[in-house]
Amino acid sequence: LAWFVVDAVESLDLSKFYSAYRSDGWGRAAYEPKMMTALLLYAYCLGEQSSREIEKACEVDVAFRVVAGNGRPDHATICRFRAEHEEALKGLFLEVLRLCREGGLVKAGAIALDGTKMKANAALSANRDYAHLKKEVERMFEEAKAKDAAEDKLYGKDRRGDETPDEWATKEGRLKWLQEAKARLEAEAAATAAKQAEKIVQRQVEEAATGKKKRGRKPGEPDEKPNDDAKANVTDPESRIMKTRSGYVQGYNAQAAVTEDQIIVAAEVTQECNDVGQLLPMLEKIEENLKVAGAPEAMKTALADAGYWSEANISGAKPDGPELLIATNKDWKQRKAMREAPAPRGRIPEAMTARDRMERKLLTKRGRALYKLRGRTIEPTFGQIKDGRGCDGFSRRGVKAADSEWSLMCTTHNLLKLWRSGKAKIGGIWARMATGAPIFAPVYA
């Protein structure tokens, strides 16, 4: 695998990495970007995300030493490279997808998409509600005001006072974080209020058009003030509380779209706790990625579970886009219906709603066969990444950093699939070995 990763990196376009370095001879020479890229890819292939563990492996693990060209970058260098080149690392996803396409692994007939909750580098206990943040900000302002008054009395208004304790700087930092978290909750509340107001207007228009009152609970009046129970995480403010089968985690919603050969063709990280708003953006991303990677065929069918179902998604999909097969019930209910309900026969009744039509399509023999693909493509893919390699959370903070790291996990998933398939059209190292040429020192020459 180590030789394969080194070979694969030789086939990738790394111009974005090199453009970040100066070539005028100033400053200390950097580690070879090609080597650093290979090192990160190899580490993530093995599920190793810790920069300190990677540094240690470059000293004691033979395979890591081969990939690193016998270099020993420290953990700070590895961490800095990953942070400074997060966009370039994200771009490797399409490069590796192209290699998979050249190996004949990208079959875009039916593609399954789903989301999985990934842990953020933050604890649930670091969440603070709006009332607490407001009270804490007010308390710290009062403390600051009292401190300023005491220092003015002690040193005079025009004097700096070098005796100010070091802890004061830390308090200012904490105050800044708390103010930002409070401001974010206020902005979110304003956005929610605007949405609610739009719902009320839309309901009134529909009732005026039909002359009948709509059924269901009437939307409440919008409130731009954040609820006192609204929470913000002070460690990673961009992460969210996510519900999973085993409880709640502080994290992100990681999206992926997978082919029948379990090759990931699109990946994205979102802060949204559910999947319903991700269907149309992911479909666009799949089409774009397949086109860039030069896939021989377009996506024909998109498979998704009930988390993506909404009539708005059906009506908003492109008419000339892929056929949509989206479950309308929870997974266990959908599987039970497929086991027990007979396949529908005859013409489709004209009075059926969009939901009824989708349920009918899923119960046909063709619909059952296609939907079964979802269970053996996307779900095992998440299992291979999270359980097989242990990549069940992010080591960096912020949605942009998490998105880059998720892309790196998906890139190495595809790289492993290509390596295990034996269909990779790369082999520079093997050619040098066959001729007896030296292979260790000049790997990154």
Side-chain angles (χ1 to χ4, degrees):
L1 177 61
W3 291 122
F4 174 79
V5 169
V6 172
D7 262 352
V9 170
E10 290 283 349
S11 305
L12 305 179
D13 178 7
L14 304 182
S15 55
K16 286 185 179 179
F17 291 90
Y18 284 92
S19 64
Y21 295 91
R22 58 193 302 167
S23 56
D24 54 8
W26 285 82
R28 186 178 175 183
Y31 279 100
E32 171 62 49
K34 195 181 294 183
M35 179 275 285
M36 294 295 292
T37 303
L39 183 61
L40 272 178
L41 287 176
Y42 180 69
Y44 272 77
C45 278
L46 300 184
E48 187 54 76
Q49 298 170 253
S50 167
S51 55
R52 283 177 169 80
E53 291 300 318
I54 297 172
E55 176 191 359
K56 189 189 299 181
C58 287
E59 295 183 13
V60 301
D61 188 292
V62 173
F64 270 93
R65 290 181 66 178
V66 167
V67 174
N70 219 19
R72 295 185 182 180
D74 62 22
H75 65 274
T77 302
I78 296 166
C79 191
R80 189 164 54 246
F81 182 86
R82 185 167 50 182
E84 291 176 355
H85 299 283
E86 62 182 18
E87 282 300 317
L89 287 167
K90 188 177 176 182
L92 294 179
F93 178 80
L94 286 176
E95 289 289 306
V96 172
L97 187 60
R98 176 181 55 79
L99 293 181
C100 291
R101 188 264 303 163
E102 291 174 0
L105 296 182
V106 181
K107 298 170 186 173
I111 290 179
L113 56 152
D114 203 354
T116 185
K117 306 303 189 293
M118 299 285 286
K119 297 173 189 171
N121 189 1
L124 270 171
S125 58
N127 283 290
R128 302 289 182 270
D129 59 36
Y130 180 76
H132 175 91
L133 288 171
K134 185 179 177 183
K135 187 176 179 181
E136 187 73 2
V137 168
E138 289 172 356
R139 183 187 66 78
M140 293 185 78
F141 268 124
E142 288 300 320
E143 277 188 11
K145 189 177 178 182
K147 187 77 175 178
D148 284 342
E151 288 182 351
D152 284 347
K153 186 176 180 181
L154 182 62
Y155 305 117
K157 285 192 175 183
D158 298 327
R159 295 185 60 191
R160 204 173 99 180
D162 292 331
E163 296 81 9
T164 303
D166 293 335
E167 292 78 11
W168 180 240
T170 306
K171 282 191 175 183
E172 285 182 349
R174 284 173 55 202
L175 176 59
K176 182 183 175 184
W177 272 95
L178 291 170
Q179 283 181 302
E180 287 177 355
K182 178 174 173 284
R184 182 179 64 76
L185 288 177
E186 289 169 347
E188 286 179 359
T192 304
K195 266 189 182 177
Q196 188 72 356
E198 189 180 339
K199 275 186 184 178
I200 293 171
V201 172
Q202 187 178 356
R203 183 185 177 100
Q204 290 170 348
V205 170
E206 289 176 4
E207 287 178 347
T210 59
K212 296 179 181 179
K213 286 195 175 285
K214 290 192 73 174
R215 297 177 66 185
R217 185 181 295 175
K218 187 178 178 181
E221 289 298 320
D223 184 5
E224 293 192 7
K225 184 181 176 183
N227 191 309
D228 282 348
D229 295 330
K231 293 184 181 293
N233 192 284
V234 294
T235 306
D236 184 355
E238 295 184 7
S239 64
R240 298 290 183 267
I241 299 174
M242 300 279 176
K243 186 178 181 180
T244 70
R245 291 179 182 178
S246 56
Y248 290 91
V249 298
Q250 189 71 34
Y252 294 94
N253 184 353
Q255 298 281 310
V258 180
T259 68
E260 293 180 45
D261 290 322
Q262 296 179 2
I263 298 294
I264 301 174
V265 293
E268 197 78 44
V269 163
T270 176
Q271 297 167 296
E272 297 295 328
C273 298
N274 56 54
D275 297 328
V276 70
Q278 309 310 314
L279 179 70
L280 301 182
M282 283 297 287
L283 290 177
E284 287 185 12
K285 197 170 186 68
I286 293 166
E287 289 183 2
E288 182 185 337
N289 288 356
L290 289 174
K291 187 175 179 181
V292 172
E297 59 178 345
M299 173 175 48
K300 295 176 182 174
T301 308
L303 312 171
D305 64 13
Y308 293 88
W309 168 258
S310 76
E311 293 199 10
N313 278 342
I314 300 300
S315 60
K318 293 180 182 176
D320 58 344
E323 178 187 13
L324 300 179
L325 273 175
I326 308 173
T328 56
N329 295 306
K330 290 183 179 179
D331 204 42
W332 68 271
K333 287 184 179 178
Q334 192 68 49
R335 291 180 183 179
K336 184 180 179 183
M338 288 182 170
R339 284 195 309 269
E340 298 174 359
R345 300 177 67 182
R347 290 185 178 181
I348 301 174
E350 292 182 5
M352 293 186 91
T353 64
R355 185 187 185 96
D356 294 335
R357 284 173 177 268
M358 184 61 71
E359 287 178 355
R360 189 181 192 279
K361 188 195 292 188
L362 285 163
L363 291 177
T364 62
K365 288 183 179 179
R366 177 175 171 276
R368 292 171 198 252
L370 280 171
Y371 192 76
K372 279 182 181 178
L373 287 175
R374 197 195 73 83
R376 61 174 185 260
T377 53
I378 187 69
E379 291 176 7
T381 298
F382 287 148
Q384 290 158 20
I385 293 173
K386 297 176 74 173
D387 298 322
R389 287 194 281 155
C391 297
D392 61 348
F394 300 122
S395 58
R396 299 179 61 222
R397 293 170 183 161
V399 66
K400 190 178 177 184
D403 190 37
S404 176
E405 197 167 0
W406 175 242
S407 180
L408 196 53
M409 292 175 188
C410 293
T411 299
T412 47
H413 169 86
N414 287 348
L415 206 55
L416 285 166
K417 288 289 179 185
L418 183 61
W419 173 59
R420 288 168 181 147
S421 73
K423 297 178 180 178
K425 296 184 178 180
I426 48 180
I429 297 291
W430 305 111
R432 290 202 291 278
M433 289 174 72
T435 59
I439 56 173
F440 187 77
V443 165
Y444 300 108

